[in-house]
Amino acid sequence: MNISRVFYLSLSLFMSMTLASCTLQKSAQPAAKASSQEVLQIINQVNQYWQANNPAEKWAMWDVVAYHTGNMEVYGITKNPAYKQYSERWAVHNQWMGAKSTEKEKWKYAYGEKDDYVLFGDWQICFQTYIDLYNLDKDEKKIARALEVMDYQMQTAKSDYWWWADGLYMVMPVMTKLYKVTGNKLYLDKIYEYWKFADQLMYDADEKLYYRNAKYIYPKHKSVNGKKDFWARGDGWVFAGLAKVLQDLPKNDQHRAEYLQRFTAMAEKIKLSQQAEGYWTRSLLDPTHAPGPETSGTAFFVYGMLWGIRNNVLPAKVYEPVAQKGWKYLSNIALQPDGKIGYVQPIGERAIPGQLVDKNSTASFGVGAFLLASAEMYRHQLSKGSN
């Protein structure tokens, strides 16, 4: 390693540790558990800030759509018509479609942002929100493209559609939602087939976590300290995605126990890697690889744990303290006074040493993850009678 790189990494580590120290001082102040009404106030502050500062008319790619998955979740709690209308304007802008190619023989599922990448999961997450809006007001045009794309995909002989961890959040819930709408059991058969490919490719049976994709499997890829490098947001996508799937999956589904086993095993490992300040670092098992707070992964983990507690698949005695500590970070540090959500790692696929992530670092998908966690915290506190 050359001298300039040593200096760069040392300076980055110093800055990140200084930030973390300041964060610890702030988060260490005593704070009572938020009531459900206090959580509701935070939900509205955050969502109204986002919608006031970001037009709905944006593309139907994953980064934007992840916000809408959170927005629809909090609409279910608040019934605020402005929240529903915001997602409707976005859906109409995109013609209730993801990638728009009509030439099926040219449809692709490698990474791509053009309209012929119809089978790429980052273009399919939009179907989650279209289905949610359809369930509120049944107009077939809202799910016509979702049905066309997913039915075509299921007729192919391929099973390697989900080759990156994020894809499990993007598309698995689409398929369980479509099953609930149509009753077509093929959705349940194919979701298992596709998930099994992804699981065999990316799941580390020893660590109970998922690599982001095949490029990052140990020992081909290592953290700066020679450890296995599990990206927090990547495992957050998987953990939250499994929660959403288990929510909609029939109780008697023949593969439910396998999904549940992965979910509970991940929860245990995620719990052990939480930092004292409540957040999770970008590289889960090597906190010094890219030190300091990160909001998107943390929010997905808090969401998943609270969902697991509410649905009696994670013991509250074990996981409520973890979720409450994570919520304290989210509501005291990530949440800025004006309603902005900070400390969101920018678009990427790994924990990057030296990358700046601070209170001004925000993104649509980070806000969506925050809203998911907030919705579950609201339900959790309400169930405990904390009004």
Side-chain angles (χ1 to χ4, degrees), residues 29-39 42 306 316-317 319-325 327-328 331-332 377 380-381 384 386-387:
Q29 297 173 359
K33 294 178 182 178
S35 68
S36 60
Q37 289 306 304
E38 288 169 335
V39 176
I42 289 174
L306 289 171
K317 183 178 180 180
Y319 287 97
E320 183 179 11
V322 182
Q324 290 288 359
K325 188 158 59 169
W327 174 252
K328 184 178 176 183
S331 57
N332 289 358
M377 180 55 76
H380 179 74
Q381 295 302 94
K384 297 179 66 176
S386 177
N387 297 320

Side-chain angles (χ1 to χ4, degrees), residues 51 71 75 78-89:
Q51 294 189 5
N71 182 51
Y75 170 73
T78 66
K79 305 302 181 185
N80 185 333
Y83 297 170
K84 176 171 172 273
Q85 290 162 9
Y86 185 89
S87 284
E88 287 174 333
R89 293 203 312 275

Side-chain angles (χ1 to χ4, degrees), residues 311-346:
N311 288 276
N312 299 312
V313 299
L314 294 177
K317 183 178 180 180
V318 175
Y319 287 97
E320 183 179 11
V322 182
Q324 290 288 359
K325 188 158 59 169
W327 174 252
K328 184 178 176 183
Y329 157 75
L330 291 172
S331 57
N332 289 358
I333 305 300
L335 174 60
Q336 304 305 301
D338 60 0
K340 177 190 288 186
I341 298 301
Y343 299 99
V344 179
Q345 183 188 359

